[in-house]
Amino acid sequence: MSHKRSGLLSGLFIGLLAALVCAAGLGAAVLFQESLPEAVMSFGGGVPISLALSLLIALLVTLAMGAVRPRSLLLVPLAAVYAGGAVAAGQITGSSVLIGAGLRTPADRTPADLSDVSLPVFNQGLPYALRVYREPLAETWPAWLYIAVAALAALVLLTLRVLRVRRAQRAETPDQPEDSSGEPEYRAPFEPAQQPAPKPTTDLFTPRKPARD
């Protein structure tokens, strides 16, 4: 019987790569948000587009982890961690660079560009970006909402994928009848391995051996 792969290790690796790529993409979206049309960013206070990006990240992470046909249920909570972590990392990275670029550049230079993406700029804006998550929940609920939506969506999507893979593999494997011919015969602890030869039964018409003197 061949051993079925659970896809745990490959799912962990591919999911991590997908989370890093999604975090970088979200960070770029936050950094260059000022270049987007004003109607897009002002619609609903920016909440709809941020929720759409969170769902997109959850979908990409799930597709990457589901491509290895995972069977292990341990990947389900890890997918939620990857998706939620990608949203949080993207928000922090993009906001840090955006704030740091605003502190280092003249006031008339509002749009950020690729020249602002550097470690000193990131370090300078990081304390201000992290302050968002330390404020009361009544003020910072959008940031936590985007993380929760991404994590929950990835949790549900990968759960459905794992259950579908497990169901398909059970359907592909036919039920094999039990074969008891190869099982070892049970013997008592002091029972000999070879049974003694049976003695012939005697009756009244069978002559007995004469007794020896």
Side-chain angles (χ1 to χ4, degrees):
M1 181 178 180
S2 59
H3 178 67
K4 297 179 181 179
R5 299 177 57 185
S6 64
L8 179 59
L9 294 179
S10 55
L12 287 174
F13 180 71
I14 294 179
L16 180 59
L17 289 181
L20 292 176
V21 172
C22 291
L26 181 59
V30 173
L31 180 61
F32 298 109
Q33 62 181 332
E34 297 179 356
S35 302
L36 297 177
E38 182 66 23
V40 175
M41 298 305 303
S42 60
F43 176 72
V47 175
I49 187 173
S50 298
L51 287 177
L53 290 175
S54 298
L55 292 175
L56 179 61
I57 288 175
L59 180 61
L60 293 177
V61 172
T62 305
L63 289 177
M65 299 178 70
V68 300
R69 294 179 59 84
R71 297 181 64 252
S72 176
L73 292 175
L74 292 177
L75 289 175
V76 173
L78 291 176
V81 173
Y82 282 158
V87 173
Q91 290 177 349
I92 294 174
T93 303
S95 300
S96 299
V97 176
L98 184 63
I99 296 174
L103 295 175
R104 293 171 59 89
T105 55
D108 55 351
R109 183 187 171 188
T110 52
D113 53 19
L114 293 178
S115 62
D116 297 322
V117 181
S118 61
L119 187 59
V121 175
F122 173 78
N123 292 333
Q124 189 170 3
L126 182 60
Y128 299 95
L130 291 177
R131 187 179 302 172
V132 176
Y133 297 92
R134 294 195 296 263
E135 297 296 331
L137 185 61
E139 301 177 5
T140 62
W141 64 267
W144 293 106
L145 176 64
Y146 308 145
I147 297 174
V149 167
L152 183 59
L155 183 72
V156 173
L157 292 176
L158 194 62
T159 299
L160 296 177
R161 173 60 175 168
V162 170
L163 294 179
R164 189 180 301 114
V165 170
R166 293 164 70 97
R167 191 181 305 113
Q169 290 185 350
R170 283 197 302 265
E172 293 174 359
T173 304
D175 295 336
Q176 299 180 357
E178 297 182 358
D179 186 11
S180 58
S181 60
E183 296 181 358
E185 183 182 0
Y186 173 77
R187 296 193 303 268
F190 300 100
E191 183 179 356
Q194 183 177 2
Q195 296 291 338
K199 296 182 179 180
T201 58
T202 59
D203 52 17
L204 296 178
F205 300 97
T206 303
R208 300 182 180 179
K209 295 181 181 180
R212 296 181 182 179
D213 295 334

